[in-house]
Amino acid sequence: SQKIEQNSEALNIQEGKTATLTCNYTNYSPAYLQWYRQDPGRGPVFLLLIRENEKEKRKERLKVTFDTTLKQSLFHITASQPADSATYLCALDVSSARQLTFGSGTQLTVLP
Amino acid sequence: EPEVTQTPSHQVTQMGQEVILRCVPISNHLYFYWYRQILGQKVEFLVSFYNNEISEKSEIFDDQFSVERPDGSNFTLKIRSTKLEDSAMYFCASSSTGYSNQPQHFGDGTRLSIL
């Protein structure tokens, strides 16, 4: 069965450092992979989307890579700030474009 | 920036009662979705809706659930006879198309508590 795993439940880093979050998937070849941010008690907020034929995508301090051979996406936040503290979710269209399957998320805490 | 709005933010209901959760998707979007998130667990897909019909549904979306677009702006999720295990955050989302290259935009959810 398809599986989506995010590297750890929690990640603590110092302000100013680069945070790197991992999303691994098995038994599937997605055309797209998406990253969302979720704050406590709020809905997921879309951050970035990357296509299977794109190696890397950037938006301001965010960078996503997509390695279809390793079946892995890395999500980087450079020059991290306490305001970046949140849970980050990766999501794939495992069975259909109209049905996102989410990973369990990584809770990032940026320490001042 | 346009956003998806959901009401109420918190709904408390007795087990066995019917509940309707409401959503106003982004106005020019064509696809609508419901997801749920049980406390401490993953966000799970329930159903997608397009052109006044269910497009896809998950195993969770059984006969107790129904969706409706009663007018040009609202999108509702009804649970006919609630169970304790229906307690969760329910998120509505919308997208401009049903293609994978379009993100889904989520509301802030309704916290449903079944007593």
Side-chain angles (χ1 to χ4, degrees):
Chain A
S1 63
Q2 297 101 351
K3 215 174 183 183
I4 301 169
E5 288 185 342
Q6 294 191 239
N7 58 326
S8 58
E9 287 187 11
L11 179 66
N12 295 337
I13 62 165
Q14 285 299 131
E15 183 174 5
K17 300 291 187 188
T18 296
T20 298
L21 286 63
T22 305
C23 177
N24 294 294
Y25 58 92
T26 59
N27 298 331
Y28 179 65
S29 298
Y32 297 89
L33 186 146
Q34 303 184 32
W35 283 89
Y36 288 77
R37 169 183 172 141
Q38 187 175 27
D39 289 284
R42 307 293 297 272
V45 175
F46 172 74
L47 296 174
L48 280 170
L49 178 152
I50 188 166
R51 288 200 308 263
E52 61 177 340
N53 60 355
E54 291 179 311
K55 293 282 190 238
E56 182 180 298
K57 198 101 173 255
R58 290 176 186 261
K59 179 182 172 184
E60 298 171 354
R61 294 184 295 110
L62 309 181
K63 183 177 87 171
V64 172
T65 62
F66 194 9
D67 188 327
T68 54
T69 303
L70 291 178
K71 293 187 181 291
Q72 180 182 81
S73 174
L74 299 179
F75 178 80
H76 306 271
I77 305 175
T78 57
S80 58
Q81 303 164 1
D84 295 326
S85 298
T87 296
Y88 291 86
L89 311 172
C90 70
L92 301 173
D93 55 331
V94 168
S95 58
S96 131
R98 292 168 291 283
Q99 187 176 144
L100 285 178
T101 298
F102 284 86
S104 53
T106 297
Q107 185 176 350
L108 175 68
T109 301
V110 180
L111 304 167
Chain B
E1 186 173 322
E3 57 181 29
V4 175
T5 56
Q6 292 187 241
T7 55
S9 56
H10 191 187
Q11 174 80 45
V12 181
T13 301
Q14 290 287 332
M15 186 172 60
Q17 296 296 304
E18 175 183 286
V19 67
I20 298 176
L21 310 182
R22 301 180 194 280
C23 168
V24 179
I26 294 173
S27 63
N28 61 348
H29 282 185
L30 300 178
Y31 282 82
F32 315 118
Y33 313 85
W34 284 100
Y35 290 80
R36 79 170 185 191
Q37 187 174 30
I38 295 170
L39 188 64
Q41 297 188 25
K42 296 182 184 186
V43 176
E44 300 175 288
F45 170 79
L46 293 178
V47 66
S48 62
F49 191 86
Y50 169 72
N51 200 25
N52 281 320
E53 288 185 348
I54 289 175
S55 179
E56 305 198 15
K57 60 182 181 179
S58 71
E59 291 176 354
I60 303 168
F61 193 88
D62 62 22
D63 292 344
Q64 294 297 316
F65 292 88
S66 61
V67 289
E68 193 179 31
R69 187 150 164 86
D71 53 44
S73 58
N74 290 284
F75 179 50
T76 62
L77 174 70
K78 183 195 288 187
I79 309 175
R80 251 179 285 282
S81 178
T82 49
K83 307 185 190 85
L84 293 175
E85 54 265 37
D86 293 327
S87 295
M89 281 288 283
Y90 286 82
F91 294 109
C92 173
S94 68
S95 62
S96 55
T97 74
Y99 295 112
S100 300
N101 63 348
Q102 294 298 315
Q104 295 183 16
H105 298 263
F106 286 76
D108 277 337
T110 294
R111 179 174 300 283
L112 178 62
S113 300
I114 307 300
L115 305 178

